Amino acid sequence: MNTAYETRKTLDLILREIDLSGVPARRMSAFRKRIDLYFPDLFAHMMELYGTRYDAYVHMRTLMQGLARHQATPAMRRVKSTTEPWFEGREAVGMAVYVDLFAGDLKGLIDRIPYLEDLGVTYLHLMPLYLAPEANSDGGYAVSDYRTVNPALGTNKDLKALSRALHARGIRLVLDFVFNHTSDEHRWVRAALDGDPRYQQFYFLCDPDDADAYNSTVREIFPQVRRGSFTWNETLGKHVWTTFNSFQWDLNYANPDVFVSVVDEMLHLVSMGADVLRLDALAFVWKEMGTVCENLPKAHTVIQAFNLCLKLAAPEVVFKSEAIVHPDEVNRYIRRDECELSYNPLMMALMWESLATRRTELLNASMERSFAIPEGTAWVNYIRCHDDIGWMWDDAISARLGIDGYGHRQFLNRFYTGRFEGSFASGVPFQENPTNGDCRVCGTLASLAGVEQAQQTGNALAMEHALRRIDLLNAVVFATPGIPLLYQGDEIGVLNDDAYLTDPSKREDSRWVHRKALTDADLTTAQAPGTPQAHIHSEIRRMIAIRKANAVFGSSSFDLIRLASPHTFAFLRETDAARLLVVANFSEHTLSLEESVADLLGSAKVMDLLAPETAIGTGPLRLDAYGVHWFHTIRG
Ligand code: GLC
Ligand code: GLC
């Protein structure tokens, strides 16, 4: 246990022993204040993790030295915000892109800034752009050096120039903090292979018995890559923990040397201009024999300790959680002192579930339980991302609705991969597990929503429905509290692309079906009136503009409204001056509801922000096929 006295004594000793001469005078007093504020918690967290190690103090001192050193790096101009915190504002609109697929390279990306501005994007996630193995790098998530930009994309200087250009246009930069693993070409792995005992302790190297024991309780993430979580390494004569691909070696956070070294890498990303760090695969960072090795209490301690380092060294930066796990576990990462932002994978998956079943009970019941998160944190709401769709929800909730979780997941996988008669979707399966039948789904928004199939069959009604599904999903995401996040290409209805099948380094990873290079031709089609692409693009632009123009979208209030119909998803948001009612019909049937808009909003003076021309009746609400409305009160 640390008493306040011990903490103080340790801090005094550290401050005497580390070199603070690099901290610029004008930054010293703020830095000292933050030390006083956050050191006690950081120390407590480090002691919880590493207190039993005889060298714990040395690591604590090295850590503080690193945080102090960071104060000497030149500060970047950041984006100013009128909302505090910025991510709760209606201005926050995100997009995730691969640098090469979206713009060729970092220089090309500067030229695409006007395109992002035109859409209204103010938050740009660049998929990992660091040095990585040449053949297969898991789309950049196998990092060989956090401090070097992948030469195919540019240089560190280009990255800095890009962050400056983005900041100047009011766009925040999101970079990946891939801290669960490194690539097997990282200098730490190379040193380990060369026999350096320090770096051998950076990774999880096991004997066969231990590997078997761990495997018996751990979920397989990429079962088509390899069974179990380990990869045999001939040089070391050990099994190496590799949760994902065999070339992605898991770091061992039970070793304080790893934590302290990774903090340095993290601060480098901050010095390149990152405003948000996306904590990749954070659920996996702490392992204990006999457990599932996901979401363990100490994983939270590790992340909170990283967050404290950030608050001490670079308080302007926030964390975003990438936990694609059970909803209750997802929410545990979302705290002001852990991850201020998080993907909302539950809402994402259940919107697709609702479109498949035309019913919204599971979506409603799940949002009722899981949507609320602490003040000062926000969801990142999305429909598609660069990864697969996994059917994560709470089986206790589905069981209460009479839905068998296992069977229902099987149905959804069939529905979205063309193995269910009558389905509108064109998707492909990802990582089918031959042992338990688990599977996930890949595909672009347009292909999964039915555009691809409608185009193939030339069925005009099918096309209309497909476009309505897309408008509906976007309208829900852009009206939900949090940051709406677009995935590159989905804003112009890009379809699935099979080209990856001819590339040996991608063939086995069907996520590449929805990772297509954006061509100038794609962008031109999106401008051609009458095309599905142009429809999708102009609707998204319009929704973003409406969102930014109406204060109610910046409110944190969110009340689900359970209408009498099992096909609707509806919620209410309000400020002191206005109320917004969002209603979506997840079926292709016209619905006559019992409720009227006036009753639901408590006012008869209403307009639909999405259809301002249409008069709103006072009688019971009628919803068209996949109809979606943003009913907003009018003053006066
Ligand atoms: C995250 C990434 C995914 C990657 C995995 C391993 O889930 O989003 O693309 O494969 O982590 O880094
Ligand atoms: C993530 C998730 C998994 C996801 C994968 C990338 O960390 O846990 O569900 O599909 O990595 O494919």
Side-chain angles (χ1 to χ4, degrees):
M1 207 186 75
N2 311 299
T3 62
Y5 167 74
E6 283 165 335
T7 303
R8 190 74 244 170
K9 220 173 66 177
T10 309
L11 177 59
D12 288 346
L13 189 59
I14 288 177
L15 290 177
R16 251 182 282 134
E17 291 185 354
I18 63 176
D19 176 9
L20 290 168
S21 63
V23 184
R26 68 196 143 74
R27 288 202 192 167
M28 188 53 111
S29 107
F31 183 51
R32 279 304 310 259
K33 268 197 200 127
R34 295 200 303 271
I35 292 180
D36 288 338
L37 210 54
Y38 299 115
F39 180 85
D41 279 347
L42 178 59
F43 184 53
H45 282 67
M46 293 297 283
M47 288 306 106
E48 182 191 332
L49 295 168
Y50 309 119
T52 58
R53 302 257 315 206
Y54 78 91
D55 55 353
Y57 173 79
V58 176
H59 290 293
M60 194 67 219
R61 191 180 58 197
T62 313
L63 177 62
M64 292 303 287
Q65 180 69 73
L67 301 182
R69 202 183 315 116
H70 179 76
Q71 305 312 302
T73 57
M76 279 232 175
R77 252 211 12 241
R78 304 278 164 170
V79 178
K80 291 216 172 57
S81 172
T82 45
T83 323
E84 265 310 315
W86 62 265
F87 46 79
E88 288 182 349
R90 59 193 141 117
E91 286 293 318
V93 172
M95 181 143 164
V97 307
Y98 285 90
V99 175
D100 54 342
L101 302 181
F102 181 67
D105 57 20
L106 289 166
K107 286 208 174 94
L109 222 152
I110 293 190
D111 300 334
R112 287 256 199 256
I113 292 178
Y115 175 79
L116 299 170
E117 277 188 296
D118 171 69
L119 262 177
V121 169
T122 57
Y123 163 116
L124 183 66
H125 172 205
L126 300 182
M127 306 297 294
L129 40 76
Y130 320 111
L131 190 71
E134 237 170 67
N136 189 349
S137 67
D138 189 18
Y141 282 98
V143 178
S144 302
D145 183 1
Y146 301 93
R147 291 168 189 261
T148 308
V149 165
N150 189 327
L153 305 176
T155 62
N156 287 20
K157 227 173 120 206
D158 294 337
L159 177 55
K160 272 207 167 156
L162 173 66
S163 23
R164 275 194 213 101
L166 289 170
H167 290 157
R169 312 307 308 181
I171 302 174
R172 288 188 168 78
L173 175 63
V174 187
L175 290 180
D176 274 279
F177 178 32
V178 188
F179 68 119
N180 175 67
H181 44 264
T182 71
S183 92
D184 60 0
E185 295 180 7
H186 194 282
R187 65 176 190 284
W188 299 338
V189 172
R190 292 189 199 272
L193 292 174
D194 282 347
D196 186 333
R198 175 178 175 202
Y199 292 103
Q200 288 180 353
Q201 291 175 40
F202 266 45
Y203 298 94
F204 259 98
L205 309 177
C206 293
D207 291 325
D209 285 352
D210 281 350
D212 286 347
Y214 281 120
N215 271 336
S216 67
T217 56
V218 167
R219 178 166 77 108
E220 296 179 285
I221 304 300
F222 283 177
Q224 285 187 351
V225 167
R226 159 215 69 231
R227 303 316 305 271
S229 291
F230 292 83
T231 303
W232 173 252
N233 184 277
E234 198 56 54
T235 312
L236 297 169
K238 296 275 185 189
H239 289 276
V240 182
W241 199 309
T242 53
T243 298
F244 297 91
N245 290 289
S246 298
F247 51 82
Q248 289 163 298
W249 289 28
D250 285 42
L251 286 161
N252 179 10
Y253 281 92
N255 176 1
D257 200 2
V258 168
F259 181 88
V260 173
S261 304
V262 172
V263 167
D264 260 350
E265 307 305 298
M266 173 179 88
L267 292 177
H268 171 77
L269 304 183
V270 170
S271 72
M272 299 311 283
D275 301 288
V276 177
L277 293 176
R278 172 190 180 277
L279 269 55
D280 183 67
L282 80 183
F284 302 92
V285 298
W286 194 269
K287 282 114 169 141
E288 274 168 35
M289 178 81 71
T291 73
V292 292
C293 297
E294 273 184 70
N295 309 309
L296 296 185
K298 285 200 173 144
H300 292 278
T301 313
V302 167
I303 297 158
Q304 287 164 19
F306 275 123
N307 193 309
L308 285 159
C309 292
L310 205 57
K311 291 211 158 67
L312 253 156
E316 66 282 9
V317 179
V318 298
F319 278 163
K320 169 184 174 186
S321 157
E322 190 245 349
I324 316 298
V325 292
H326 186 285
D328 292 351
E329 299 293 351
V330 170
N331 286 26
R332 286 197 182 105
Y333 294 96
I334 312 173
R335 301 169 31 152
R336 282 166 92 157
D337 62 357
E338 195 165 337
C339 293
E340 294 89 341
L341 302 174
S342 167
Y343 280 105
N344 190 348
L346 182 63
M347 182 161 138
M348 181 278 293
L350 292 179
M351 287 197 296
W352 288 109
E353 188 270 345
S354 295
L355 282 179
T357 58
R358 278 74 166 171
R359 300 185 73 98
T360 51
E361 289 103 327
L362 190 53
L363 174 62
N364 275 302
S366 302
M367 288 301 111
E368 241 155 46
R369 173 167 170 90
S370 302
F371 191 84
I373 49 176
E375 225 188 286
T377 66
W379 288 113
V380 175
N381 299 303
Y382 65 112
I383 304 165
R384 288 296 298 114
C385 71
H386 70 289
D387 279 332
D388 45 289
I389 302 176
W391 307 111
M392 286 282 187
W393 67 73
D394 181 350
D395 279 35
I397 294 183
S398 56
R400 237 180 289 135
L401 296 167
I403 299 169
D404 163 56
Y406 181 80
H408 199 49
R409 289 186 177 89
Q410 298 276 319
F411 156 72
L412 291 167
N413 283 324
R414 287 201 306 278
F415 186 94
Y416 280 108
T417 60
R419 299 182 214 163
F420 188 85
E421 174 131 16
S423 163
F424 50 76
S426 311
V428 291
F430 178 65
Q431 298 294 337
E432 270 181 301
N433 187 321
T435 310
N436 56 19
D438 270 356
C439 175
R440 282 113 77 187
V441 170
C442 293
T444 65
L445 165 61
S447 286
L448 291 174
V451 173
E452 186 172 330
Q453 204 189 90
Q455 217 155 58
Q456 280 159 4
T457 57
N459 182 329
L461 182 65
M463 181 62 84
E464 189 188 322
H465 282 169
L467 294 178
R468 282 168 166 258
R469 283 183 205 104
I470 293 174
D471 293 345
L472 174 146
L473 294 171
N474 282 320
V476 171
V477 161
F478 285 117
T480 301
I483 304 177
L485 180 69
L486 294 162
Y487 172 62
Q488 66 161 44
D490 284 345
E491 84 286 10
I492 52 168
V494 165
L495 299 180
N496 286 348
D497 179 16
D498 282 342
Y500 76 101
L501 292 170
T502 58
D503 179 338
S505 71
K506 301 195 166 111
R507 198 167 47 212
E508 308 296 334
D509 188 339
S510 58
R511 290 175 296 172
W512 288 97
V513 80
H514 56 246
R515 299 174 180 173
K516 184 181 173 298
L518 210 72
T519 60
D520 287 330
D522 291 328
L523 296 180
T524 316
T525 318
Q527 301 300 329
T531 59
Q533 289 79 7
H535 170 90
I536 295 168
H537 186 239
S538 68
E539 279 303 284
I540 288 178
R541 276 185 77 221
R542 197 166 72 91
M543 288 179 201
I544 293 174
I546 299 173
R547 173 188 154 99
K548 292 196 182 189
N550 288 278
V552 73
F553 291 96
S555 133
S556 60
S557 80
F558 177 85
D559 289 302
L560 284 169
I561 308 284
R562 300 296 288 263
L563 301 173
S565 159
H567 311 292
T568 55
F569 183 62
F571 55 88
L572 200 65
R573 298 182 65 182
E574 59 187 324
T575 61
D576 291 341
R579 307 181 103 201
L580 173 78
L581 170 70
V582 176
V583 186
N585 172 7
F586 274 77
S587 80
E588 64 269 66
H589 310 297
T590 308
L591 303 180
S592 298
L593 302 181
E594 292 170 9
E595 302 86 348
S596 77
V597 176
D599 290 345
L600 292 166
L601 270 175
S603 165
K605 291 196 163 173
V606 176
M607 73 184 281
D608 181 354
L609 296 175
L610 291 174
E613 254 56 301
T614 315
I616 294 159
T618 49
L621 180 58
R622 265 177 62 89
L623 295 175
D624 289 340
Y626 300 115
V628 63
H629 303 275
W630 286 357
F631 294 119
H632 191 273
T633 51
I634 309 170
R635 283 227 239 172

